Amino acid sequence: MREQPEQQAPPVQRLRIRYAKRGRLRFTSHRDFSRAFERAIFRARVPMAYSSGFNPHPRISYAGAAPTGSASEAEYLEIGLAEVVDPATIHAALEEALPDGLDVVEVVVSPGGPFAELLEASRWVIDVAGSLEAAQEAVAGFLATDAVPVTRMTKKGLREFDCRAAVVSLAAVESPAGARLDLVLRHATPAVRPDDVLSGIASTTGFEAGPAPLLTRLAQGPLDAEAGTVGDPLHIST
């Protein structure tokens, strides 16, 4: 009979971490980041709690990872610890251990509850080619359309879905490089990404964002649908 695995103690503290993907590190995939983060917690000697079973692994929960190639100021994860530690100590240790461009922004004690449910929407900015006037006309045309079907290859094959329904707000504003789209996207199933919205704008208006538009997530968290704003999931009033 196979020996039963040792049961690990549950975490005594959970921390929620906001981190950023900047510069060239925006091309880091979620799998690459998870490997880099696990190496960082080992180098930083973070007292992690581990799962039970024949192959224990550190208790890390990832939520709402941005698509590969996009920059982000609002990526989140939660870790379980075997000891109670000052969040500022963990912040400093991880900041030292992670490569430049994968930057810890904030570490707070988790109040409990399912964290992923707090991530209802994201705010993105997208730097696009073309004039501000052309971008504003394209945005107006897109928003005037009730449904905008797009197709994208997913793990389950080629899938068609409406990208318009997930758009809470969209505006074209001036940027140092020309035009920028300010976009708030509701998290839905299937997930609608900023590049899906760009495809929808192109199909409805003919506006092309350019060969390599820079996508940056500025915020991710609870959605105030009436105001069209995205809140901070680490600091929620109860």
Side-chain angles (χ1 to χ4, degrees):
M1 180 180 295
R2 189 176 186 183
E3 185 179 349
Q4 291 298 309
E6 180 182 355
Q7 295 299 303
Q8 302 290 330
V12 299
Q13 183 185 45
R14 295 184 185 273
L15 299 179
R16 291 176 178 174
I17 299 173
R18 176 180 177 179
Y19 68 95
K21 292 200 307 178
R22 297 167 173 155
R24 290 183 297 177
L25 271 297
R26 70 182 186 274
F27 296 107
T28 304
S29 70
H30 176 62
R31 181 174 295 180
D32 290 338
F33 171 77
S34 62
R35 285 195 291 259
F37 186 76
E38 290 194 22
R39 288 195 296 268
I41 60 176
F42 178 79
R43 287 196 298 271
R45 300 182 182 276
V46 177
M48 295 295 297
Y50 282 78
S51 64
S52 299
F54 289 104
N55 185 27
H57 57 272
R59 291 189 178 274
I60 307 171
S61 300
Y62 300 94
T68 303
S70 57
S72 178
E73 294 295 317
E75 300 298 284
Y76 294 96
L77 57 84
E78 184 172 282
I79 60 175
L81 302 183
E83 302 173 10
V84 175
V85 184
D86 183 354
T89 300
I90 298 298
H91 188 158
L94 290 176
E95 187 70 7
E96 179 70 23
L98 283 166
D100 290 341
L102 295 177
D103 305 319
V104 176
V105 177
E106 188 173 9
V107 182
V108 302
V109 175
S110 168
F115 185 51
E117 292 183 4
L118 300 176
L119 306 182
E120 299 174 331
S122 292
R123 181 187 173 203
W124 295 84
V125 290
I126 310 170
D127 291 322
V128 298
S131 68
L132 176 60
E133 182 180 4
Q136 289 174 331
E137 290 179 359
V139 165
F142 175 84
L143 293 177
T145 307
D146 292 332
V148 181
V150 295
T151 57
R152 173 165 37 91
M153 184 61 70
T154 69
K155 294 179 181 179
K156 297 182 179 180
L158 196 63
R159 188 165 186 179
E160 180 178 292
F161 50 91
D162 175 22
C163 72
R164 174 65 183 88
V167 175
V168 177
S169 65
L170 175 63
V173 298
E174 190 172 6
S175 76
R180 170 176 290 172
L181 303 184
D182 192 326
L183 168 68
V184 174
L185 269 180
R186 180 182 288 106
H187 294 175
T189 303
V192 176
R193 307 187 317 199
D195 52 314
D196 296 323
V197 175
L198 293 179
S199 296
I201 291 173
S203 68
T204 54
T205 70
F207 179 82
E208 296 291 344
L214 177 59
L215 286 64
T216 304
R217 174 150 59 189
L218 297 183
Q220 182 181 192
L223 173 66
D224 183 333
E226 185 174 345
T229 57
V230 179
D232 183 349
L234 299 187
H235 302 281
I236 297 178
S237 301
T238 57

